[in-house]
Amino acid sequence: MSRWNRILAVIFSFLIALGSLLMILMFLSEDIMSAMIAFLLRIQKISGWRGSVVVTSILLFIVALVALLLTIMTGRLHKARVRSSNLGDVDIGVDAIESIALNAANNAQAGVKSVKARVAPKDGDNIMVSLNITSYPDVEIPAMMTKVQERVKKDVERYTGIQVAEVPIKVSQVETVSARIER
């Protein structure tokens, strides 16, 4: 998500939180509800304020719609990546790309116990494949990450024809060695 999209989302979230807090206070106290209604009636009677409140409300509505659309459009890769050939179109689904990345990470023979993959759009037609890995103990993590990154990038590009811009990896856990108790 770009910087402006995040700023817009933060502003929108702040306004929603502020409005929700005001609604809670109004329904908890009749005095606050009465004061708010009186305030809104005074604003409605002053023609200069009425116009500015309407314009502000329209702007807030537009910001809400833009935030909603940006959240929907940038949160996840489109349903499929379409490749055209002389025989027709080939739709490659996000789940298929994630499965290829999972298989590549598991088959890299780099000490990966379990892995979760997430595909997101990157610059242009490129994609980013993010991996969350649990590794086995006694694994040299930097070397393992490099090996997995190279294998995932190579396999996804080979099998789908889609360029992979980057493969960020987060090693979230190293599996512990448990002592075996013999009886």
Side-chain angles (χ1 to χ4, degrees):
M1 190 182 285
S2 74
R3 182 179 182 192
W4 290 108
N5 294 350
R6 285 193 301 264
I7 291 171
L8 185 64
V10 167
I11 291 170
F12 182 65
S13 298
F14 175 75
L15 292 174
I16 292 291
L18 192 64
S20 299
L21 180 63
L22 187 60
M23 289 292 283
I24 290 169
L25 292 175
M26 285 177 18
F27 281 100
L28 288 178
S29 171
E30 286 185 27
D31 295 336
I32 295 175
M33 176 79 85
S34 300
M36 194 62 172
I37 291 172
F39 174 72
L40 292 174
L41 288 173
R42 273 183 286 175
I43 287 178
Q44 200 265 341
K45 290 180 183 176
I46 303 171
S47 62
W49 280 91
R50 184 183 320 154
S52 62
V53 168
V54 169
V55 168
T56 304
S57 298
I58 290 171
L59 288 175
L60 288 175
F61 180 73
I62 291 171
V63 166
L65 282 179
V66 169
L68 178 65
L69 288 174
L70 288 174
T71 302
I72 291 171
M73 299 303 288
T74 62
R76 185 92 162 123
L77 190 64
H78 300 294
K79 290 284 183 199
R81 298 298 249 189
V82 177
R83 293 285 175 215
S84 296
S85 69
N86 57 354
L87 297 175
D89 293 338
V90 177
D91 294 339
I92 302 172
V94 175
D95 292 335
I97 298 170
E98 288 175 351
S99 293
I100 292 168
L102 290 173
N103 289 336
N106 285 326
N107 294 332
Q109 297 177 347
V112 175
K113 180 175 187 223
S114 66
V115 62
K116 293 179 185 173
R118 178 123 174 126
V119 177
K122 198 65 178 169
D123 307 322
D125 283 338
N126 296 340
I127 60 173
M128 175 178 64
V129 181
S130 302
L131 301 174
N132 192 346
I133 292 178
T134 299
S135 72
Y136 286 111
D138 301 330
V139 171
E140 188 179 327
I141 292 176
M144 182 259 310
M145 287 191 301
T146 302
K147 193 172 183 180
V148 170
Q149 285 173 319
E150 291 170 354
R151 177 73 184 257
V152 167
K153 180 177 172 46
K154 183 179 91 176
D155 282 5
V156 169
E157 287 177 351
R158 181 188 331 149
Y159 297 130
T160 65
I162 300 169
Q163 292 296 315
V164 177
E166 62 182 292
V167 183
I169 295 180
K170 176 183 178 191
V171 178
S172 59
Q173 186 176 359
V174 174
E175 193 65 26
T176 59
V177 178
S178 57
R180 292 180 69 181
I181 300 173
E182 296 199 22
R183 296 179 187 198

